[in-house]
Amino acid sequence: RRLLNSSLNRLSMDTLISVSENLAGAYADHSTTDVNHAIDNNLSSACVSRAQLMTGLIPVYVACLVGVHVQKGDAAQLGEHLIETFVLKLWRNLAEDLRAPSNDADHHDPLSSISKETCNIMLILCYLYNFGVVHSLLVYDLIKSMIQSFSEVDVELLLIVLSHSGRALRGDDPSALKEIVLLVQKKYVDVKKLTEETSRMDYLVAAVMDLKNNKKRKQDLDKIEKKLFK
């Protein structure tokens, strides 16, 4: 833990590759299981347990860990470990969010807080997908599950997925995206019949239509890709 904390505390765009190499080297002297658990604990502490969306830190953190995953491959199975860990965290947090009453009075901000921990977990999974560790089928399954439930927290998470991974999803499986568009539109019509407060739903449908029409949205991923693959 001390080794990982020392390396990750100096993580930035400029040190991304060197920190990734240092983390990969930890497997030579320590148990693979211990290193994987220490890494996901550090990722959770730095990027999940926060009162705000960590949109600046999460892409860099995940890019660094994907670098470790690529270097170590099947020997460490870090990518697989992170997928399992954070999908389970997502379902646990979603269950807690759905049980807890919302105290959020600002319904005009489409990304106002439901649970920032849950949103940051979703962001981690988005960037694991953006960098090729998570398959698009898993992301589409998560999207379909959230559309089926379509609670306030589901809508917020859908907005995050579309904002940070929408372009990649469109490129990977346009037919699946078409199905998502139809499901969102159907749910949107049903919700409009039941309530007058639909600001988040309005924003979501607009985001989905932008994606369907191939309108590009600025993403943190762009600058990281330039750093990694220049």
Side-chain angles (χ1 to χ4, degrees), residues 77-97:
Q77 295 190 330
L78 175 60
E80 293 87 339
H81 175 79
L82 293 176
I83 293 170
E84 180 181 12
T85 298
F86 285 95
V87 167
L88 291 175
K89 283 178 182 287
L90 178 67
W91 289 133
R92 285 196 293 267
N93 277 48
L94 275 173
E96 293 173 3
D97 290 339

Side-chain angles (χ1 to χ4, degrees), residues 15-118:
T15 64
L16 193 156
I17 294 175
S18 63
V19 170
S20 179
E21 291 173 345
N22 287 342
L23 297 185
Y27 289 92
D29 301 316
H30 303 277
S31 158
T32 296
T33 300
D34 289 344
V35 177
N36 285 348
H37 280 298
I39 285 176
D40 78 59
N41 286 336
N42 189 291
L43 178 58
S44 295
S45 297
C47 299
V48 175
S49 300
R50 289 290 186 271
Q52 60 183 353
L53 285 174
M54 307 298 288
T55 53
L57 183 60
I58 285 176
V60 182
Y61 239 85
V62 174
C64 177
L65 299 185
V66 170
V68 178
H69 167 71
V70 170
Q71 292 176 70
K72 300 306 296 183
D74 290 340
Q77 295 190 330
L78 175 60
E80 293 87 339
H81 175 79
L82 293 176
I83 293 170
E84 180 181 12
T85 298
F86 285 95
V87 167
L88 291 175
K89 283 178 182 287
L90 178 67
W91 289 133
R92 285 196 293 267
N93 277 48
L94 275 173
E96 293 173 3
D97 290 339
L98 291 175
R99 286 196 300 266
S102 174
N103 296 319
D104 181 18
D106 183 8
H107 293 288
H108 300 290
D109 178 6
L111 289 178
S112 58
S113 174
I114 300 296
S115 166
K116 289 300 184 285
E117 287 192 8
T118 309

Side-chain angles (χ1 to χ4, degrees), residues 152-216:
E152 194 169 342
V153 65
D154 291 312
V155 173
E156 185 155 351
L157 293 179
L158 285 167
L159 287 170
I160 287 173
V161 174
L162 292 176
S163 297
H164 292 266
S165 297
R167 287 166 58 188
L169 286 168
R170 189 183 194 281
D172 281 345
D173 196 342
S175 63
L177 178 63
K178 186 178 297 185
E179 180 184 356
I180 295 299
V181 171
L182 294 175
L183 289 172
V184 168
Q185 289 176 328
K186 183 178 183 301
K187 276 289 185 179
Y188 178 67
V189 171
D190 294 340
V191 169
K192 290 279 281 188
K193 294 177 181 178
L194 299 175
T195 179
E196 295 180 358
E197 180 50 67
T198 59
S199 60
R200 281 186 174 86
M201 281 68 170
D202 293 341
Y203 188 90
L204 172 63
V205 173
V208 171
M209 295 311 297
D210 281 355
L211 186 58
K212 178 186 176 185
N213 297 328
N214 202 23
K215 291 184 179 179
K216 293 185 177 180

Side-chain angles (χ1 to χ4, degrees), residues 112-151:
S112 58
S113 174
I114 300 296
S115 166
K116 289 300 184 285
E117 287 192 8
T118 309
C119 293
N120 284 324
I121 292 169
M122 189 73 251
L123 269 176
I124 289 170
L125 291 172
C126 283
Y127 281 95
L128 284 172
Y129 163 65
N130 289 346
F131 288 118
V133 177
V134 170
H135 195 277
S136 61
L137 288 177
L138 174 60
V139 181
Y140 275 120
D141 282 345
L142 291 174
I143 290 174
K144 290 176 182 177
S145 177
M146 288 184 285
I147 292 175
Q148 185 176 5
S149 176
F150 219 64
S151 67

